[in-house]
Amino acid sequence: MIGVIDTEGDCAEWSFPADPGAVRAARAAVRGRLCDWDLDSLADITALLVSELVTNSLRHATGPIGVRLVRPAGLDDVLLVEVSDPLPDPPRERAAQPEDESGRGLQLVAHSSRRWGTRPGAAGKTVWFELAVPG
């Protein structure tokens, strides 16, 4: 992990180098922050989806990978998760065959989250998803 960029209140952001250890480090960072926020019930699914998106970034991009968790002000029932990388091309959801060893990450994000999408950035793109926070 390069370091925590911001941990003010309901926002945490990290930057990881583009190496295989980034997946494990991102999972640990996400789990730790969700525990701090008393959102343990979202730790497993959030860590899984972040793992998928960070893995996609490692496969297709070089450069730092950003991970950001946000509890939007006034929206107690939403957790926003963002994964950014320097590759400008948006990811493509594909239909993996049963014998394929990859290609299911975006399907998993799409089926497990409330909403998801991508947006271009100044240098690359961000893939984001929202999870419902149990009340």
Side-chain angles (χ1 to χ4, degrees):
M1 175 169 63
I2 291 174
V4 175
I5 295 170
D6 183 319
T7 57
E8 291 294 319
D10 292 321
C11 178
E13 185 172 347
W14 304 268
S15 181
F16 302 96
D19 65 49
V23 177
R24 182 178 58 252
R27 275 195 312 260
V30 164
R31 283 182 180 281
R33 180 53 51 153
L34 291 177
C35 180
D36 292 345
W37 287 347
D38 293 322
L39 293 176
D40 302 79
S41 62
L42 293 178
D44 288 342
I45 189 63
T46 306
L48 173 64
L49 299 180
V50 164
S51 291
E52 293 294 333
L53 294 178
V54 170
T55 298
N56 282 353
S57 291
L58 285 172
R59 286 189 179 165
H60 303 290
T62 59
I65 299 166
V67 176
R68 186 170 185 245
L69 302 178
V70 180
R71 296 286 314 270
L75 298 175
D76 294 338
D77 65 337
V78 173
L79 175 67
L80 173 64
V81 182
E82 301 174 333
V83 176
S84 303
D85 65 49
L87 186 69
D89 303 326
R92 292 188 331 257
E93 193 175 348
R94 66 182 197 122
Q97 299 301 312
E99 64 278 358
D100 290 346
E101 292 185 18
S102 64
R104 294 176 183 82
L106 288 177
Q107 287 179 349
L108 193 56
V109 170
H111 292 292
S112 301
S113 62
R114 181 188 273 182
R115 299 185 315 145
W116 79 280
T118 64
R119 69 174 182 274
K125 66 161 171 320
T126 298
V127 179
W128 59 270
F129 61 90
E130 290 180 358
L131 294 174
V133 174

